[in-house]
Amino acid sequence: MKKIKTRDRILGASLALFNNQGEPNVTTLLISDELDISPGNLYYHFKSKGDIVEELFSAFEAEMIDLLAVPDDVDISLDQQSFFLHLLFEAVARYRFLYQDLVNVLSRYERLQVRFRRVLKKKTSAFKSICESLRRQKIMTIEPDELDSLCEQLTLTACYWSAFDTLSHLDDRESVDPGRGVYQMMHLMLPYFEPEHQAYAKLISQEYL
């Protein structure tokens, strides 16, 4: 069995602690205690908690950029669209500490602000590519100005759903439900689907409850 490197153990434990207790409430001492290693050992790998946050953000950023690279010239089905949303909310859940305290985290780690805004823009662009594909296929009917507004609303929901979901169980941050986020996103788009496609879209969304 391959031994996990100390650096990777630190990142894994930090991510779990950040997600479950909130990043501002976690110290490097708490992380080292969780791993039963000395603070000096942790410091050898990461000079500060900020370095840990930045490396975790880099992993999140790489995953999101890969996921959000939606081609402009392909036909996307409703099944593919819902699966995309499923993957998106799973990724958000894995790095939910970023979203649960977004303004606070970004205000303290200024170097991440531009990078996070880039991710947001890519989300909006991905939603637009999906909607444009559905419109080309006559699955969705929507005017250009409505499309822009819808994509912005989808981005807002994807960004703040994790924080909203956490408010319902602050005593148990491990209890996350990405499926409800997918359900809400599907229903934001539902009014724009052609009637013959709405029933199937509702059926797909119900599977995430």
Side-chain angles (χ1 to χ4, degrees):
M1 185 175 178
K2 187 177 180 181
K3 187 177 180 180
I4 301 174
K5 294 179 180 179
T6 300
R7 183 182 185 85
D8 293 332
R9 289 180 61 222
I10 292 171
L11 290 171
S14 299
L15 180 59
L17 287 169
F18 291 163
N19 283 340
N20 298 335
Q21 299 188 29
E23 180 272 335
N25 302 317
V26 177
T27 64
T28 53
L29 182 59
L30 182 60
I31 297 168
S32 60
D33 284 347
E34 178 73 13
L35 290 167
D36 195 23
I37 63 175
S38 69
N41 193 349
L42 188 147
Y43 183 77
Y44 174 79
H45 296 280
F46 296 98
K47 303 304 182 188
S48 67
K49 187 175 77 167
D51 290 342
I52 298 174
V53 170
E54 188 158 349
E55 183 139 344
L56 289 172
F57 184 89
S58 293
F60 156 79
E61 182 181 40
E63 189 171 334
M64 292 298 288
I65 288 176
D66 182 59
L67 175 63
L68 296 171
V70 179
D72 292 326
D73 56 350
V74 297
D75 289 341
I76 298 170
S77 68
L78 288 177
D79 287 312
Q80 289 171 322
Q81 177 234 355
S82 65
F83 186 58
F84 167 82
L85 294 176
H86 171 80
L87 293 177
L88 176 64
F89 275 94
E90 287 286 347
V92 169
R94 275 193 295 278
Y95 298 94
R96 59 189 179 274
F97 79 91
L98 291 169
Y99 290 87
Q100 290 171 345
D101 199 19
L102 182 59
V103 174
N104 189 10
V105 170
L106 292 182
S107 65
R108 287 185 294 107
Y109 303 108
E110 294 184 5
R111 288 187 298 182
L112 302 183
Q113 292 177 15
V114 172
R115 294 166 66 183
F116 193 84
R117 283 197 293 269
R118 187 185 307 128
V119 171
L120 286 183
K121 287 181 179 178
K122 286 186 178 295
K123 282 183 185 177
T124 305
S125 178
F127 293 138
K128 192 164 187 177
S129 294
I130 291 171
C131 290
E132 290 283 13
S133 175
L134 295 173
R135 186 165 67 168
R136 285 196 309 270
Q137 299 171 78
K138 311 297 183 187
I139 296 173
M140 170 183 275
T141 299
I142 188 168
E143 297 299 321
D145 58 334
E146 292 178 316
L147 177 60
D148 290 339
S149 178
L150 174 63
C151 290
E152 186 169 327
Q153 185 61 53
L154 292 170
T155 303
L156 284 168
T157 303
C159 187
Y160 290 106
W161 173 259
S162 181
F164 175 79
D165 184 48
T166 301
L167 285 173
S168 64
H169 46 77
L170 283 172
D171 58 334
D172 182 14
R173 288 189 178 224
E174 291 188 47
S175 176
V176 294
D177 188 2
R180 288 201 61 85
V182 177
Y183 177 86
Q184 294 297 329
M185 296 281 273
M186 291 289 289
H187 277 257
L188 283 173
M189 301 176 72
L190 196 62
Y192 301 100
F193 291 147
E194 290 293 333
E196 63 268 28
H197 296 287
Q198 284 188 357
Y200 186 57
K202 286 181 181 178
L203 185 64
I204 293 174
S205 69
Q206 289 291 329
E207 294 176 357
Y208 288 94
L209 290 180

